[in-house]
Amino acid sequence: MRPRSNILDRPLSKGKSEVSHSIVALLFSEIVQYSQSRVFTVPELQTRLHELGQDVGTRIIDLYFVRERSSKRETKLTQMLLFVKTTVWKNLFGKEAEKLEHANDDERTYYIIEKEPLVNTFISVPKDKSSLNCANFTAGIVEAVLTHCGFPCKVTAHWHKGTTYMVKFEDFVIARDKQMEEK
């Protein structure tokens, strides 16, 4: 008889293979419908999805560090963004985000680009709500992960090259990162 392992002790990667895309689509569709029934405008719906994403992001990063005890905490901004682009994205969506770019005109702004976000794949948007981008849910997750790892920021989702997540960090995060590079 095999001893049962605690669900919190299993790695995230093993748990990911147990969930099908159709279940994720169904659950996310229900989240959108639930949220839509409690708001009146598209911006309110996007804000609500962002807030729900923040709740998920907080739990995801806690769960990651509980399960992966051997991983180190990133202290440099670029390394943390690469962690989100690769590790967090793989654990959530089964693949890495396509690109990570730094804005040319603002040192506080970075872009994570995903051509076809999973959360937009299974949602049919009515014509009267054509500006709705359900990737605001993912933006909330990213914002919570970065903020709870010591990199406070605001993350928004935009239609550009697929979906682009604009990550705008607080001024002190950039100043702290520059100080660390000098040492």
Side-chain angles (χ1 to χ4, degrees):
M1 194 168 168
R2 234 172 48 176
R4 298 176 100 188
S5 66
N6 184 345
I7 193 165
L8 293 176
D9 292 333
R10 293 189 313 197
L12 286 175
S13 58
K14 287 184 181 175
K16 180 64 182 152
S17 63
E18 297 170 10
V19 178
S20 71
H21 285 298
S22 56
I23 294 296
V24 171
L26 175 67
L27 289 173
F28 188 69
S29 172
E30 290 298 318
I31 288 171
V32 172
Q33 288 176 28
Y34 174 82
S35 299
Q36 188 175 3
S37 69
R38 283 156 175 70
V39 297
F40 299 105
T41 65
V42 171
E44 287 175 346
L45 177 56
Q46 291 183 153
T47 300
R48 181 71 183 131
L49 290 173
H50 191 272
E51 290 167 354
L52 290 170
Q54 287 177 316
D55 291 341
V56 171
T58 300
R59 286 163 180 80
I60 288 290
I61 199 63
D62 287 344
L63 183 61
Y64 176 79
F65 286 116
V66 164
R67 287 184 177 171
E68 307 295 332
R69 291 182 183 103
S70 62
S71 67
K72 66 176 185 145
R73 180 177 169 260
E74 298 297 344
T75 56
K76 293 189 178 181
L77 181 61
T78 307
Q79 293 304 315
M80 187 63 204
L81 285 166
L82 287 171
F83 170 78
V84 169
K85 178 191 175 284
T86 57
T87 306
V88 171
W89 234 263
K90 280 182 186 175
N91 286 314
L92 288 172
F93 308 116
K95 63 178 179 122
E96 288 185 18
E98 276 85 10
K99 289 183 183 176
L100 173 63
E101 296 179 357
H102 189 213
N104 294 331
D105 57 341
D106 185 4
E107 66 179 0
R108 297 177 7 177
T109 305
Y110 288 81
Y111 303 104
I112 299 173
I113 300 169
E114 189 176 26
K115 289 182 181 154
E116 219 173 290
L118 181 66
V119 293
N120 285 345
T121 305
F122 302 107
I123 301 295
S124 300
V125 178
K127 288 183 181 180
D128 64 326
K129 293 181 172 57
S130 62
S131 64
L132 174 64
N133 189 345
C134 291
N136 278 291
F137 181 76
T138 307
I141 293 173
V142 172
E143 184 175 315
V145 166
L146 289 169
T147 299
H148 290 300
C149 285
F151 298 88
C153 62
K154 294 290 178 206
V155 181
T156 54
H158 304 274
W159 296 108
H160 180 70
K161 300 179 184 177
T163 295
T164 299
Y165 302 96
M166 184 173 78
V167 183
K168 193 165 193 105
F169 290 98
E170 299 286 335
D171 288 328
F172 80 88
V173 173
I174 303 302
R176 180 183 66 198
D177 200 54
K178 284 181 180 177
Q179 276 184 331
M180 290 178 67
E181 285 178 6
E182 291 172 4
K183 290 182 179 182

